[in-house]
Amino acid sequence: MQITASTLALTVEDVTTSAAFLRQHFGYTEEMSADGFVSLKHDGGVNVVYLRRGIEVLPESYRHDTAAGVILAFVVDDLAGEEKRLRGEGVEITMPLREEPWGEKLFQVTDPNGVAIELVEWAEQ
């Protein structure tokens, strides 16, 4: 199998606000949208699709669930610089910068629909 792209689909209440958050703060661009659907692209990472909770394209068994418990993680080169930039843009840091024993440095923000977005930098081994 040759995978040519990867997309993560997240179910949220308001696709417009989550999409705007990724465009404004993380450099995503909108590829397409319709009622209850927004597809976003980023050249350096995974594409993201937001689906409105309840939309019929979702299987009925979880059509009304949201993206609770999901973390959208981005690996970056300058974690401290990204934290400073996001704070300067008024984004609340919901998990402060920390370093894990296995060499991962990270912090988290949360989008307007409660989706956790984690920025990660790996310590040199």
Side-chain angles (χ1 to χ4, degrees):
M1 170 189 338
Q2 181 179 356
I3 297 173
T4 59
S6 296
T7 301
L8 176 65
L10 300 169
T11 305
V12 296
E13 291 292 333
D14 182 347
V15 299
T16 304
T17 59
S18 282
F21 191 80
L22 280 190
R23 284 194 315 268
Q24 180 179 353
H25 301 294
F26 295 95
Y28 274 78
T29 57
E30 185 176 306
E31 285 192 303
M32 63 186 90
S33 64
D35 183 37
F37 165 86
V38 176
S39 177
L40 301 167
K41 180 179 182 176
H42 194 286
D43 291 335
V46 66
N47 296 342
V48 175
V49 167
Y50 288 110
L51 300 168
R52 184 184 60 234
R53 188 176 67 82
I55 196 167
E56 291 184 8
V57 70
L58 293 167
E60 192 170 341
S61 62
Y62 57 84
R63 188 174 292 162
H64 296 284
D65 295 343
T66 58
V70 173
I71 297 173
L72 180 57
F74 302 128
V75 177
V76 298
D77 291 330
D78 180 10
L79 190 66
E82 292 299 332
E83 181 190 30
K84 182 178 179 181
R85 177 186 65 81
L86 288 167
R87 282 185 190 277
E89 293 175 0
V91 176
E92 179 185 358
I93 306 302
T94 53
M95 178 189 286
L97 186 62
R98 58 190 284 168
E99 186 170 352
E100 301 296 347
W102 51 86
E104 177 183 26
K105 294 179 185 178
L106 62 99
F107 71 89
Q108 290 181 1
V109 301
T110 304
D111 91 345
N113 282 289
V115 176
I117 301 172
E118 182 172 285
L119 279 77
V120 177
E121 182 178 77
W122 291 98
E124 296 295 324
Q125 305 261 343

